[in-house]
Amino acid sequence: MAAPREAPERRPFGRRFLTDPARLFQHNAWDNVEWSEEQEASARSKVQENSSQLLPQDKQEEYEVNAKRYWDDFYKIHENGFFKDRHWLFTEFPELAPNRNPSQNGDSAHEFSNKEESNNEGLGSCENGHCSLETRAEDQLNVIKSTPRICTEELAAQKYSELNQSDGDYPGSSASYRILEVGCGAGNTVFPILQTNNDPGLFVYCCDFSTTAVDLVQNNAEYDSSRCFAFVHDLCNDQSPFPMPDESLDVVILIFVLSAILPEKMQCIVNRLSRLLKPGGMILLRDYGRYDLAQLRFKKGQCLSDNFYVRGDGTRVYFFTQDELNDLFTTAGLEKIQNLVDRRLQVNRGKQMTMYRVWIQCKYRKPPAPQL
């Protein structure tokens, strides 16, 4: 007999959904919203309908082969206009700025509940299936145009070869606290970390599949090569080296990135990332949950496999359950610190629309080294 599943973890500061319509449209968002059985059944039915027709295998292979081009095109089109810095990070993931004063601006449960979705005009706005709700927050990135300084995979491989020959001399080798963001995009996580975490021993690595995305990061006015190293990296290529050695990182960040990867390749990727962690180091994840608004909006003919879809611009997205993510991380030898579902109700008061988002947030730790 199978062991009973754990009850979903609940956010302790969540506010419940108010059923009074007059009050409903006076607010922007509620977190930790309870779903009724009817609501979940309706969502399940929509997913069954939009996944009843799968794309032909040759088309699926085309999207895999051309994945890098689709993401390059996405960032060329949107540059920094689609994204906003994620200043909610330090409420949810205090590990990113361990010396930060909790009383600093933006570090309250109430503010987090509304920060991402505070712009009514942005509520529900999606472009080609990319819902901007998960990236809305405070200041727009200040990207300047200059000569690209891209660290390509070939250059990364060369640097890695050099570090093996130079006795540990690699970017950030002298740092005491090292963070890697995988799938950094335009830098919406990296720059808030650099602005907020003033630890002189901090070094932040960031990489992306898209050369265009890394170009945006390196050409940002706040990019500081003495504290940050941005490089192009293909997570799905296990022969593509990282510029830092195994067991050198304190934190790995995965924010809306694992969902963009072919499901059968996810375990290998998590295994690789777990090897980079020091004993006691952590992977922090926030990603799409099953029956999120974005999943329900897909039409027939956009489904690749169970809960895996292609957007209109060729990029792909998967929608997770807590159990699936738990299996990925524990199989990689990590132990659960947090695995919670955040069901969020968002309201566009101008259009009087209600929208339900479902995100999953996880923290998994590499077991500390045994005491001798």
Side-chain angles (χ1 to χ4, degrees), residues 11 88 92-93 112 285-287 325 338-342 359-363:
R11 188 179 304 285
W88 52 264
E92 295 300 286
F93 299 132
F112 169 74
L285 173 140
R286 189 167 175 86
D287 219 322
L325 287 166
Q338 181 188 76
N339 183 329
L340 62 83
V341 62
D342 182 6
W359 297 316
I360 296 180
Q361 182 168 299
C362 295
K363 300 180 184 183

Side-chain angles (χ1 to χ4, degrees), residues 27-142:
H27 300 274
N28 289 331
W30 292 261
D31 63 325
N32 193 21
V33 172
E34 299 286 350
W35 279 31
S36 67
E37 291 183 8
E38 292 80 8
Q39 186 175 359
E40 187 148 351
S42 174
R44 189 182 304 113
S45 176
K46 287 182 180 179
V47 167
Q48 289 172 348
E49 180 181 355
N50 70 24
S51 59
S52 60
Q53 176 184 337
L54 299 182
L55 266 70
Q57 190 60 36
D58 60 331
K59 288 293 293 181
Q60 297 201 31
E61 292 172 0
E62 177 184 326
Y63 286 119
E64 175 68 9
V65 169
N66 295 316
K68 185 178 188 301
R69 177 169 63 84
Y70 290 125
W71 279 109
D72 275 338
D73 290 346
F74 174 79
Y75 286 107
K76 285 175 184 175
I77 292 169
H78 297 291
E79 290 194 348
N80 65 316
F82 186 70
F83 307 98
K84 300 294 178 69
D85 293 348
R86 297 161 172 157
H87 289 279
W88 52 264
L89 282 167
F90 309 103
T91 303
E92 295 300 286
F93 299 132
E95 297 84 359
L96 300 178
N99 298 321
R100 185 170 184 256
N101 186 337
S103 64
Q104 283 182 246
N105 292 338
D107 204 15
S108 69
H110 176 79
E111 184 164 358
F112 169 74
S113 298
N114 295 282
K115 180 65 71 176
E116 287 179 283
E117 301 81 34
S118 60
N119 186 333
N120 280 331
E121 295 304 313
L123 287 173
S125 65
C126 294
E127 300 185 32
N128 282 317
H130 294 274
C131 290
S132 59
L133 300 173
E134 69 263 21
T135 55
R136 286 199 176 275
E138 295 179 350
D139 302 321
Q140 191 171 15
L141 284 174
N142 178 24

Side-chain angles (χ1 to χ4, degrees), residues 7 20 24 35 41 47 51 91 109 113 133 145 192 207 222 225 257 269 278 288 304 312 317 320 340 355 361:
D20 179 358
L24 175 63
W35 279 31
V47 167
S51 59
T91 303
S113 298
L133 300 173
K145 300 298 180 183
C207 64
E222 297 190 36
S225 60
V257 62
I269 287 167
K278 298 175 182 176
Y288 296 101
L304 302 167
V317 60
F320 292 98
L340 62 83
M355 297 153 290
Q361 182 168 299

